Amino acid sequence: MMWLRCGCASKCVVSPLGRRFFKSYFQALGRGRSNVAAFMPEAAGFEGVSDHSALQDFSVSNSESFWAAAARQRLSWISPFHTVQDCDLSRGKIKWFEGGKLNVSVNCLDRHVHTCPERVALIWERDEPGSEVKVTYRQLLEMTCRLGNLLRRRGVKKGDCVTIYMPPCPLAVASMLACARIGAAHNVVFAGFSPEALAERIRDAQSSTVITVNQGVRGGKVIELKKTVDTAVHSCPTVQQVFVAMRTENPVAMTARDVLMEEEMLKEDAVCEPAVMDSEDVLFLLYTSGSTGKPKGLVHTQAGYLLYAALTHRYVFSYHDGDVFGCVADIGWITGHSYSVYGPLANGGSTVLFESTPIYPDPGRYWEMVQRLKINQFYGAPTAIRLLLKYGDHWVQKYDRSTLKTLGSVGEPINTEAWEWYHRVVGDGRCPVVDTWWQTETGGICITPRPSDPDAEIVPGMAMRPFFGIKPALMDTEGKVLSSNHTSGALCISQPWPGMARTIHNNHQRFIETYCQPHPGYFFTGDGAYRSKEGYYQITGRLDDVINVSGHRIGTAEIEDVLNQCSAVAESAVIGYSHDIKGQGVYAFVVLKKGEDAQEADLSRQLNGMVSNKIAKYACPDCVQLVQRLPKTRSGKIMRRVLRKVVERDLNGLGDLSTLDDPAAVQEIIEGHRELSSKQQQP
């Protein structure tokens, strides 16, 4: 019953006032002060703000006024805040909206149920195509309240942390919101991580409660999630209970600590009193990879995070009431948190939960879904775009994509060829492509082409412009600020913003050392960036993905962008390796498009010519290895660390490969590397 197996949502009529309020994102800008206020109502109170660039300037130079107005306008408060911000980046002290009290689930659910109970909140795009499930705001509130009451009855208290190990589905969202409702923090772990990776995160979060499903279904395959949890909790002495929802009909072994969640939820009341939370109480932990290999549990808090997720969702994607927002990220990642759950629901939006893969049952899956669900904004990863590009245009053109208005890219810099294909083929050349730069640490999008003036250019492969309240800075190797354009450096953010992470769980010192100490007074992102002559930002890759060839610093993303422009290449990954003469050499792993049959030596010559022409001779790959596939995490990120270990012949240092989408890819690459090395050693 709780899985709502059939669609049962009626449409909500948007009031004429609502339509006027958000009318025409692009037309509203640039027509004087009244229209800036139509675009962003808060701007009516900002002195001297008459166009987008003035609004951007105001948001940075009058940060407190900007964020205070946005917080009062966009969030529903139980008690108002008395201090907008109290931050000192050099000490890692970040506090926003102190004194304010609110409940995040009320902001995401109750206030919309009061005005529009039958509006669709969630569209669950199940693995089986054409079997989507629609959940209204009223239904989601009831689900959340029943689960909140169940958690309370079973001893979960305000301040506890509940670990959620579930695929994208309505009950996963209800689990997140039920935690928020009763004042518990949640720790969502991507439902593809190994038992060891899950156990490490449960232990660090000190969870006594875990929520999971009997089995997951992805790409036509059944995944034994409950078994993974059973294995994990053997080494987690804090875990006292595991709630199990039924995604499939198949029974699974249950122990004394296991609770059948839906069965128990039916016994609970459909009304759950929301906890009164301080702005800076913990909303969730989310673990991200650290350079030490030990995951960092980044902490996000209530008001600032929710405000930032809502504002970026509304303005980066030009989201309007009545639109269907299609973020295909898993809820186990920050993108799923901010742009499948919290941002859209805070804005009263209709948001898609995508359970499947881009190529199941065929490479038209995304676009068939766009046609069927009438998606207006589509937000996906460059790695998926490059994968689909390999299969050709016909899989896209089979389906009606006329509802699409904005296309988004997230997770890594998007190469020019993929950007242009996305824009030209998927968007028919009429949808702006927003290449968004942000991190788990930032909470939401920080650099992106939109919002901007309606006729402002978008440059392929560039994140371009800072969002409201974001002030980027580039640093040189001595730690000095680079003030000129047409320059590259370490990307920092000069002042705090409400969505940023507050600390690392149980290790504030590590937070300070990682983000605050490298450039005191600035937030250090760990990424390199180039600022163009026009002042636009392009992310050049992680600073540990920068190769130093004969004293020349070059970002791996920059070389990959050129390699991927070759007509035979589907995607590539570039790493630096130790070189006797140059300090570091350039090693390129290349995946060919389907049907291509290039020889390694010929392709190597062609690619070197392209890199030499586009960047410089020093950036040319010393080695080009053809591979069937690249090692990737299940979220689609290329594991360059693994590639480095293969090239360095440090196979003992490969680490846990169970979190990879296809661990077998690594063995193929090891064998290919051996063959290439032996060829090069032959006289």
Side-chain angles (χ1 to χ4, degrees):
M1 175 255 187
M2 296 309 298
W3 286 93
L4 301 160
R5 294 189 188 279
C6 56
C8 47
S10 59
K11 282 198 175 161
C12 174
V13 178
V14 182
S15 70
L17 174 67
R19 275 197 294 271
R20 281 202 306 277
F21 195 74
F22 292 110
K23 191 180 175 191
S24 190
Y25 168 94
F26 292 112
Q27 291 169 2
L29 283 171
R31 292 193 191 155
R33 184 171 176 133
S34 62
N35 284 316
V36 172
F39 165 71
M40 181 177 278
E42 297 92 328
F46 299 157
E47 196 58 46
V49 172
S50 59
D51 60 16
H52 177 272
S53 72
L55 182 57
Q56 176 64 38
D57 291 346
F58 183 91
S59 74
V60 171
S61 56
N62 295 271
S63 173
E64 287 203 16
S65 303
F66 177 85
W67 290 116
R72 290 187 187 108
Q73 175 89 22
R74 310 269 163 173
L75 300 181
S76 297
W77 296 89
I78 296 165
S79 306
F81 52 89
H82 55 63
T83 305
V84 182
Q85 64 152 304
D86 179 12
C87 302
D88 178 355
L89 281 181
S90 61
R91 294 194 295 125
K93 178 188 179 188
I94 304 146
K95 292 180 186 297
W96 285 86
F97 311 122
E98 280 184 291
K101 296 186 186 296
L102 77 169
N103 185 279
V104 164
S105 77
V106 169
N107 276 271
C108 290
L109 299 174
D110 303 61
R111 60 179 179 167
H112 309 311
V113 170
H114 290 317
T115 58
C116 216
E118 299 309 316
R119 176 182 290 172
V120 173
L122 307 177
I123 305 173
W124 181 27
E125 175 67 5
R126 287 154 45 105
D127 191 56
E128 307 85 355
S131 65
E132 76 275 6
V133 173
K134 294 183 178 177
V135 181
T136 65
Y137 274 92
R138 179 182 55 77
Q139 290 168 328
L140 184 56
L141 176 60
E142 180 182 329
M143 213 186 286
T144 299
C145 285
R146 287 183 188 275
L147 183 47
N149 286 328
L150 173 59
L151 292 173
R152 264 186 185 147
R153 176 163 65 84
R154 300 283 306 206
V156 178
K157 302 183 298 300
K158 186 173 175 176
D160 289 352
C161 183
V162 174
T163 292
I164 300 170
Y165 186 74
M166 302 173 87
C169 60
L171 270 180
V173 175
S175 298
M176 295 164 77
L177 292 170
C179 290
R181 195 164 194 87
I182 67 171
H186 59 71
N187 163 36
V188 182
V189 178
F190 171 61
F193 275 156
S194 67
E196 296 80 14
L198 172 60
E200 186 175 22
R201 288 156 175 78
I202 293 171
R203 284 195 301 268
D204 193 73
Q206 298 150 304
S207 291
S208 59
T209 301
V210 177
I211 305 178
T212 190
V213 295
N214 64 332
Q215 295 173 315
V217 186
R218 190 170 183 266
K221 297 180 184 138
V222 172
I223 303 141
E224 300 292 345
L225 297 185
K226 170 66 164 56
K227 281 186 183 164
T228 301
V229 172
D230 287 344
T231 306
V233 298
H234 279 314
S235 59
C236 300
T238 55
V239 174
Q240 292 165 8
Q241 55 188 350
V242 176
F243 292 96
V244 184
M246 299 297 286
R247 167 60 180 92
T248 67
E249 313 268 320
N250 305 325
V252 289
M254 299 287 280
T255 69
R257 75 174 156 252
D258 299 332
V259 180
L260 283 169
M261 190 158 86
E262 290 122 313
E263 214 172 87
E264 291 299 310
M265 282 168 68
L266 291 174
K267 300 174 186 173
E268 298 296 336
D269 197 66
V271 176
C272 176
E273 185 64 28
V276 178
M277 305 300 288
D278 290 335
S279 292
E280 284 297 331
D281 283 338
V282 176
L283 177 61
F284 65 84
L285 308 185
L286 192 56
Y287 285 83
T288 186
S289 305
S291 55
T292 63
K294 180 176 163 53
K296 300 173 289 203
L298 288 158
V299 174
H300 282 284
T301 55
Q302 311 270 328
Y305 168 80
L306 188 66
L307 174 65
Y308 197 74
L311 209 67
T312 48
H313 171 257
R314 173 73 77 184
Y315 289 111
V316 171
F317 299 99
S318 181
Y319 185 87
H320 293 69
D321 277 348
D323 284 350
V324 174
F325 190 77
C327 170
V328 291
D330 193 279
I331 54 159
W333 312 119
I334 189 67
T335 306
H337 281 56
S338 298
Y339 300 111
S340 295
V341 181
Y342 286 113
L345 295 181
N347 287 328
S350 300
T351 179
V352 174
L353 300 171
F354 184 71
E355 186 183 42
S356 194
T357 78
I359 53 171
Y360 179 76
D362 58 51
R365 177 59 185 269
Y366 278 166
W367 323 121
E368 185 276 328
M369 176 180 74
V370 165
Q371 172 181 288
R372 177 164 36 85
L373 303 184
K374 297 184 167 44
I375 288 171
N376 303 109
Q377 293 86 9
F378 182 86
Y379 196 29
T383 188
I385 303 306
R386 288 194 292 268
L387 172 69
L388 296 173
L389 186 159
K390 257 169 65 168
Y391 287 96
D393 300 358
H394 68 284
W395 285 110
V396 184
Q397 290 162 347
K398 270 178 76 168
Y399 301 104
D400 177 7
R401 301 161 329 282
S402 58
T403 54
L404 287 173
K405 296 190 285 188
T406 304
L407 299 173
S409 164
V410 60
E412 59 182 301
I414 184 167
N415 57 297
T416 309
E417 189 199 12
W419 190 101
E420 285 172 346
W421 184 83
Y422 199 23
H423 181 254
R424 178 178 52 82
V425 178
V426 177
D428 282 328
R430 57 180 182 78
C431 300
V433 174
V434 290
D435 174 10
T436 61
W437 175 84
W438 59 297
Q439 304 171 322
T440 306
E441 291 87 340
T442 71
I445 295 163
C446 289
I447 306 180
T448 171
R450 295 282 189 261
S452 53
D453 285 322
D455 53 353
E457 69 173 329
I458 296 183
V459 179
M462 288 188 106
M464 298 187 75
R465 302 177 180 95
F467 187 71
F468 299 122
I470 299 295
K471 188 180 178 187
L474 297 183
M475 301 291 190
D476 68 13
T477 49
E478 324 259 275
K480 294 195 180 75
V481 177
L482 295 161
S483 51
S484 62
N485 287 348
H486 190 42
T487 191
S488 296
L491 178 62
C492 295
I493 301 177
S494 308
Q495 58 190 38
W497 65 101
M500 67 192 299
R502 302 308 196 246
T503 187
I504 292 171
H505 180 60
N506 282 341
N507 199 342
H508 192 59
Q509 188 55 35
R510 187 179 178 194
F511 182 83
I512 293 169
E513 287 168 5
T514 306
Y515 305 109
C516 306
Q517 272 179 5
H519 298 281
Y522 295 82
F523 178 85
F524 173 56
T525 69
D527 279 336
Y530 163 71
R531 187 167 53 228
S532 72
K533 290 177 184 140
E534 301 78 15
Y536 302 147
Y537 289 89
Q538 179 172 29
I539 307 305
T540 51
R542 294 295 295 172
L543 288 173
D544 48 15
D545 283 341
V546 170
I547 305 171
N548 193 325
V549 182
S550 303
H552 301 286
R553 284 168 59 82
I554 182 83
T556 55
E558 207 172 336
I559 303 172
E560 288 163 6
D561 198 25
V562 175
L563 300 181
N564 294 345
Q565 287 171 34
C566 173
S567 58
V569 173
E571 63 177 340
S572 61
V574 167
I575 59 156
Y577 71 101
S578 182
H579 191 284
D580 291 346
I581 297 163
K582 298 188 283 189
Q584 277 192 299
V586 178
Y587 197 111
F589 294 88
V590 171
V591 180
L592 296 181
K593 287 179 182 166
K594 287 207 179 323
E596 291 287 346
D597 189 25
Q599 292 301 306
E600 227 151 18
D602 296 341
L603 186 68
S604 186
R605 275 193 292 274
Q606 185 185 350
L607 295 176
N608 274 313
M610 290 175 71
V611 173
S612 180
N613 289 338
K614 298 264 183 178
I615 306 174
K617 276 193 175 162
Y618 70 77
C620 291
D622 299 275
C623 292
V624 174
Q625 179 180 338
L626 297 184
V627 295
Q628 290 294 314
R629 55 218 156 144
L630 295 169
K632 293 179 183 179
T633 63
R634 288 178 176 87
S635 68
K637 285 205 172 162
I638 296 167
M639 289 291 281
R640 288 177 179 80
R641 175 184 64 78
V642 169
L643 295 174
R644 255 184 234 111
K645 294 291 182 191
V646 171
V647 173
E648 290 162 5
R649 296 185 172 83
D650 178 16
L651 302 187
N652 293 328
L654 285 173
D656 178 17
L657 302 179
S658 62
T659 58
L660 293 182
D661 192 38
D662 186 0
V666 179
Q667 196 52 44
E668 291 175 13
I669 288 166
I670 291 169
E671 286 162 14
H673 176 252
R674 278 195 195 119
E675 282 175 30
L676 190 60
S677 300
S678 62
K679 273 186 206 164
Q680 288 173 338
Q681 283 162 12
Q682 286 167 8

